[in-house]
Each structure stands twice: as C-alpha cells, then as structure tokens.
Amino acid sequence: MKAETLAQLNAERAARRPALVVTDMASGEQRLVKAKDIAADELSGELDRHLRMGKSGMVEVNGRKLFITVHAPTAKLVMIGAVHISQALAPMARALDYDVTVVDPRTAFASPERFPDIPLIAEWPDVALPQLNVDPYTAFVALTHDPKIDDPALTHALERKCFYIGALGSRKTHAKRIERLKQQGVSEPALARIHAPIGLAIGAVSPAEIAVAIMAEITATLRMPKDAAAAKVKEPA
Amino acid sequence: MLSRDDDILKIAEDWKKAGHGVALATVVETWGSAPRPTGSHLVINDEGTFLGSVSGGCVEGAVVTEALDVISSGQPKMLEFGVADETAWNVGLSCGGTIRVFVEKVGS
C-alpha cells in the first residue's frame, strides 16, 4: 500500500466515512474508493454489496482476482428517551456492536441506576445532540412520546442524514407528528424517512419485544439493499 | 465487520512517518473454521513489532518473519496456512481451517 493511500484511508476513517481498498492479487496494484465514488465505479455493485454487509472479500472480475477491504465506521445508536424500551434496547444494541448513547432531559429517567454502564446525557436534545456527532452511520430512535423532546431530536437526525430514524407512537400519533414537523418546514421526502410506527411488524408486546422489532428494523436498513429493506418494513402486520 | 480494531492502520501510518519500514498483512481468503474474518489486518515494522491479528495467535510469528522479507524486498507475498501437512503443527491453525494472507509493503 502506498503511504499516500494509507494516509487517505486513515483520513476517511477518522471522519467516519466508509472507504474500500481494491487490491489486484496478481499485480499488487491497489486503489482506494471513497463512499461518494462508489456509484460511478466500475465495481459499484460489488463495492456496494461488500460495504452493506461490512464484509471484506475476494471477487473475480474478467479473470482477475481482486480483494476488497471494507472500512466501515462503527455504527452508533442514539436513543432519545431513557424509557423502559430503551432499557431493553441499549444492551441489545451493544451486543450488536453499536456505540450506544441515551439522551433524556428528565433526570428521573436518565439515571445510572436504570442504565448501568450506558452513556447517558440528561440534557435537552439541542444541548445533547451537537456533541454526539450524529452522522450517516448513526441509527436514531425517538422514544419519549413527548413532542417537546422528540420533535427537535428528529429534526436534527433528518438534517444529519442518519441511516435509520424511527419514532415511537401509533399511526395517529405519527400523523400528528408529521403535521407539526411540516409546519416547522421539514420536507415531505425527509418526513417519509421516519420509520413509524417504529420496528418491524412482529406483534411485539413487551418493551423487550419492541426492542427486538426496532433492532431488527435497524439491521434490515443497514444490511439489505435499499429497495428490499423498504419493501420489508412497509409490509403490513 | 464493524471495524473496532483498525486503529492499527493509524499506527502503520505513524510508524511509516517515523521512518520505519512497515508491512501490512491482510487475511484475504478463508476456508473452514478460520479464527479471524477476511479483511483482518496485522501490521509489522522493521523491528519486528506487530499489532493486530490474522489468526488469533496461531501463525502471527510466521507472518512477521515473512513480513520482514517483504519490507526489505518491496515485493508483496501471498502466504497460506492450514493443517494440510505435517509441518502444520509448527505454523498451522489448530482449528482446522485454512487462511490465505496477503503481505505488502507500505511504500514511500
């Protein structure tokens, strides 16, 4: 690897932008592909698939063996609301290798006793979120049921282009939320990105089951081709 | 693989900047039960210091030796480790898998 390629790769990684390295196994020839250049690349299909799966691997193209090394940032999960579902969701997300943070201005909820070992920020979203570097490798869930807390948080998540944004609440609650956010100037395509009711339709009842539904939906969004993930989560219960 | 362990690439860059000869080893293919997934890295410098892992400890010693060769020659190498022959117990994978490791020099 050229020193220059390594420096560029490390710069992408430090900025939490995905990048792939393609190495020709016969010649040792090598190139770096940044996330923004994948679509126009001759290997776009293979690069997209490997990045989505977060899996490095060998591909054969025109008789050439090429090794694709995937460098994907560690995914983050930001939870708005230190509620019962969050208590089940936080350890689950950790087990799936997410960096987890819980935000809730209500100190009675955001207490270390309720969330042992989980980073907690007992602040309003406008104070808590800027320091969290919410980015496209972040999954974002709003679980408080309180528009004063959830709405500004969701607006921030949409601006930061989180790969997954979900909000707790029934269809009726969500319809009201859409109305409020529209009045604040959030565009329709942006609003359509919010998964609500949150989670895959698996008939979840308990907080832990709802956490499973949420984590499954996040995983589908991260791993499946965009169209397939959309079809999956739109399926009726 | 959500990359938790690849600060070693930053260390490779730092070693290079500090004037060390540096090699990068990457698991490029695995068969059977391999301890580390494809894409796993080991970085080695010309003093034989290494970081990361390509096998969870089974073959790192051999990879480091080959990497020192690669650092001096500049030519990349493909190494294969498995349990296919009797020498395997010296530098083999006790788990029964086979791995192929690409070793390249980090150039100037």
Side-chain angles (χ1 to χ4, degrees), chain B residues 23-72:
Chain B
L24 175 66
T26 310
V27 177
V28 292
E29 286 181 290
T30 66
W31 295 268
S33 64
R36 297 277 290 148
T38 51
S40 300
H41 287 310
L42 180 72
V43 296
I44 307 98
N45 74 15
D46 50 10
E47 289 174 347
T49 304
F50 64 95
L51 282 169
S53 153
V54 290
S55 74
C58 315
V59 301
E60 271 71 7
V63 175
V64 169
T65 309
E66 296 287 344
L68 293 175
D69 260 14
V70 169
I71 290 171
S72 48

Side-chain angles (χ1 to χ4, degrees), chain A residues 94-116:
Chain A
R94 258 220 183 141
L96 272 69
D97 270 343
Y98 285 74
D99 277 341
V100 177
T101 311
V102 176
V103 175
D104 197 322
R106 303 166 298 180
T107 48
F109 286 80
S111 76
E113 291 76 24
R114 289 164 48 80
F115 291 87

Side-chain angles (χ1 to χ4, degrees), chain A residues 22-216:
Chain A
V22 181
T23 309
D24 186 316
M25 289 289 100
S27 66
E29 197 182 304
Q30 204 164 44
R31 63 197 180 90
L32 177 73
V33 184
K34 298 178 184 177
K36 65 176 171 61
D37 300 325
I38 292 173
D41 197 277
E42 53 174 353
L43 295 176
S44 61
E46 291 288 1
L47 295 172
D48 177 66
R49 186 170 64 86
H50 279 82
L51 176 58
R52 215 164 11 83
M53 304 309 287
K55 210 164 182 288
S56 303
M58 196 75 76
V59 294
E60 279 205 45
V61 181
N62 302 328
R64 289 158 69 209
K65 276 186 118 176
L66 303 172
F67 186 72
I68 300 175
T69 317
V70 175
H71 297 276
T74 302
K76 296 195 277 198
L77 173 63
V78 174
M79 276 178 251
I80 305 300
V83 297
H84 202 167
I85 293 171
S86 318
Q87 286 178 284
L89 186 56
M92 215 177 274
R94 258 220 183 141
L96 272 69
D97 270 343
Y98 285 74
D99 277 341
V100 177
T101 311
V102 176
V103 175
D104 197 322
R106 303 166 298 180
T107 48
F109 286 80
S111 76
E113 291 76 24
R114 289 164 48 80
F115 291 87
D117 303 326
I118 301 287
L120 284 173
I121 307 180
E123 296 281 0
W124 287 84
D126 62 328
V127 176
L129 294 180
Q131 57 184 297
L132 284 179
N133 184 26
V134 172
D135 67 9
Y137 258 77
T138 304
F140 194 99
V141 297
L143 305 172
T144 69
H145 275 309
D146 183 342
K148 288 198 303 300
I149 305 173
D150 282 353
D151 287 6
L154 287 167
T155 310
H156 184 83
L158 287 168
E159 281 166 6
R160 296 301 185 95
K161 302 190 163 43
C162 295
F163 76 88
Y164 174 90
I165 302 172
L168 191 68
S170 64
R171 285 190 171 77
K172 212 166 139 190
T173 307
H174 188 57
K176 286 185 199 154
R177 178 186 292 129
I178 296 268
E179 277 315 307
R180 287 193 309 272
L181 292 175
K182 244 188 227 168
Q183 280 174 12
Q184 290 169 33
V186 182
S187 74
E188 299 242 2
L191 291 169
R193 293 205 54 229
I194 302 175
H195 293 272
I198 198 168
L200 288 189
I202 57 170
V205 176
S206 68
E209 287 172 359
I210 295 168
V212 169
I214 295 172
M215 218 52 239

